[in-house]
Amino acid sequence: MTPLAVITLAFVGGALLPGDIREAVSKSLSLGSIAGYAHVFFCALIALLLGGIGRSPLSVFVMVMTLGGLIELMQLWIPYRSTSWWDVVDNALGASLGLLVLWLGKRCLSRGNDG
Protein backbone atom coordinates (compact mmCIF):
# COMPACT_ATOMS: atom_id res chain seq x y z
CA MET A 1 0.00 0.00 0.00
CA THR A 2 1.34 3.43 -0.90
CA PRO A 3 2.09 6.11 1.71
CA LEU A 4 -0.69 8.25 0.18
CA ALA A 5 -3.23 5.46 0.71
CA VAL A 6 -2.06 4.78 4.28
CA ILE A 7 -2.20 8.47 5.27
CA THR A 8 -5.59 8.95 3.64
CA LEU A 9 -7.04 5.85 5.31
CA ALA A 10 -5.67 6.96 8.69
CA PHE A 11 -7.26 10.39 8.26
CA VAL A 12 -10.62 9.01 7.15
CA GLY A 13 -10.60 6.24 9.76
CA GLY A 14 -9.88 8.64 12.59
CA ALA A 15 -12.43 11.14 11.36
CA LEU A 16 -15.18 8.54 11.18
CA LEU A 17 -14.74 7.04 14.63
CA PRO A 18 -17.79 7.51 16.85
CA GLY A 19 -17.21 10.31 19.36
CA ASP A 20 -17.05 8.09 22.44
CA ILE A 21 -14.48 5.75 20.86
CA ARG A 22 -12.48 8.71 19.56
CA GLU A 23 -12.35 10.20 23.06
CA ALA A 24 -11.31 6.85 24.58
CA VAL A 25 -8.48 6.46 22.03
CA SER A 26 -7.38 10.06 22.55
CA LYS A 27 -7.37 9.60 26.32
CA SER A 28 -5.54 6.24 26.23
CA LEU A 29 -2.82 7.71 24.01
CA SER A 30 -2.68 10.95 26.04
CA LEU A 31 -3.38 12.99 22.91
CA GLY A 32 -5.55 15.64 24.51
CA SER A 33 -7.45 17.87 22.12
CA ILE A 34 -5.51 17.53 18.89
CA ALA A 35 -8.40 17.39 16.40
CA GLY A 36 -7.51 20.68 14.68
CA TYR A 37 -3.83 19.79 14.50
CA ALA A 38 -4.72 16.38 13.08
CA HIS A 39 -6.72 17.98 10.27
CA VAL A 40 -3.84 20.30 9.39
CA PHE A 41 -1.25 17.50 9.64
CA PHE A 42 -3.10 14.89 7.59
CA CYS A 43 -4.30 17.34 4.93
CA ALA A 44 -0.77 18.74 4.57
CA LEU A 45 0.65 15.23 4.10
CA ILE A 46 -2.04 14.25 1.62
CA ALA A 47 -1.49 17.47 -0.37
CA LEU A 48 2.28 17.00 -0.31
CA LEU A 49 2.00 13.41 -1.54
CA LEU A 50 -0.58 14.23 -4.22
CA GLY A 51 1.53 17.14 -5.44
CA GLY A 52 4.60 14.93 -5.35
CA ILE A 53 3.04 12.54 -7.86
CA GLY A 54 2.46 15.37 -10.31
CA ARG A 55 -1.03 16.64 -9.59
CA SER A 56 -1.54 20.36 -10.17
CA PRO A 57 -1.81 22.55 -7.07
CA LEU A 58 -5.41 23.46 -7.87
CA SER A 59 -6.47 19.84 -8.32
CA VAL A 60 -4.66 18.88 -5.10
CA PHE A 61 -6.46 21.60 -3.17
CA VAL A 62 -9.82 20.61 -4.62
CA MET A 63 -9.22 16.90 -3.87
CA VAL A 64 -8.20 17.55 -0.26
CA MET A 65 -11.14 19.88 0.33
CA THR A 66 -13.55 17.41 -1.28
CA LEU A 67 -12.27 14.61 0.95
CA GLY A 68 -12.62 16.84 4.01
CA GLY A 69 -16.10 17.94 2.96
CA LEU A 70 -17.25 14.36 2.49
CA ILE A 71 -15.90 13.46 5.92
CA GLU A 72 -17.81 16.37 7.47
CA LEU A 73 -21.01 15.23 5.77
CA MET A 74 -20.53 11.62 6.91
CA GLN A 75 -20.04 12.77 10.48
CA LEU A 76 -23.68 13.88 10.52
CA TRP A 77 -24.64 10.20 10.87
CA ILE A 78 -21.93 9.12 13.32
CA PRO A 79 -22.89 8.98 17.02
CA TYR A 80 -21.50 11.79 19.16
CA ARG A 81 -19.87 13.53 16.19
CA SER A 82 -20.79 16.76 14.49
CA THR A 83 -19.61 18.84 11.59
CA SER A 84 -17.49 21.93 12.09
CA TRP A 85 -16.53 24.85 9.91
CA TRP A 86 -13.25 24.97 11.85
CA ASP A 87 -12.43 21.52 10.48
CA VAL A 88 -12.95 22.88 6.97
CA VAL A 89 -10.64 25.81 7.77
CA ASP A 90 -8.04 23.41 9.20
CA ASN A 91 -8.29 21.24 6.08
CA ALA A 92 -7.69 24.28 3.86
CA LEU A 93 -4.78 25.37 6.04
CA GLY A 94 -3.25 21.89 5.88
CA ALA A 95 -3.68 21.60 2.10
CA SER A 96 -2.10 25.03 1.63
CA LEU A 97 0.76 24.17 3.96
CA GLY A 98 1.45 20.90 2.13
CA LEU A 99 1.48 22.69 -1.21
CA LEU A 100 3.77 25.39 0.18
CA VAL A 101 6.25 22.80 1.47
CA LEU A 102 6.16 21.06 -1.92
CA TRP A 103 6.76 24.33 -3.76
CA LEU A 104 9.63 25.31 -1.44
CA GLY A 105 11.17 21.85 -1.78
CA LYS A 106 11.05 21.99 -5.58
CA ARG A 107 12.46 25.49 -5.53
CA CYS A 108 15.37 24.47 -3.28
CA LEU A 109 16.11 21.45 -5.44
CA SER A 110 16.09 23.50 -8.63
CA ARG A 111 18.43 26.08 -7.09
CA GLY A 112 20.77 23.30 -6.04
CA ASN A 113 21.00 22.14 -9.66
CA ASP A 114 21.66 25.68 -10.92
CA GLY A 115 24.70 26.12 -8.75
Side-chain angles (χ1 to χ4, degrees):
M1 193 177 292
T2 67
L4 177 59
V6 171
I7 296 297
T8 303
L9 286 173
F11 179 49
V12 172
L16 298 182
L17 284 175
D20 53 345
I21 295 173
R22 180 175 161 239
E23 291 303 317
V25 169
S26 182
K27 187 175 181 179
S28 69
L29 296 176
S30 300
L31 297 177
S33 180
I34 65 162
Y37 298 114
H39 280 266
V40 172
F41 175 77
F42 280 106
C43 288
L45 277 178
I46 292 168
L48 183 63
L49 292 170
L50 280 170
I53 61 172
R55 301 286 183 171
S56 73
L58 179 60
S59 69
V60 167
F61 190 82
V62 168
M63 284 188 264
V64 171
M65 295 306 293
T66 300
L67 175 64
L70 289 172
I71 287 171
E72 292 302 311
L73 286 176
M74 288 187 286
Q75 285 179 346
L76 290 171
W77 293 279
I78 298 174
Y80 308 108
R81 295 300 296 266
S82 60
T83 60
S84 166
W85 283 109
W86 286 112
D87 289 348
V88 175
V89 170
D90 290 337
N91 293 344
L93 179 62
S96 300
L97 183 62
L99 289 169
L100 177 64
V101 168
L102 180 67
W103 178 77
L104 288 172
K106 286 181 177 180
R107 187 172 164 106
C108 287
L109 288 174
S110 70
R111 283 185 176 220
N113 291 336
D114 293 341

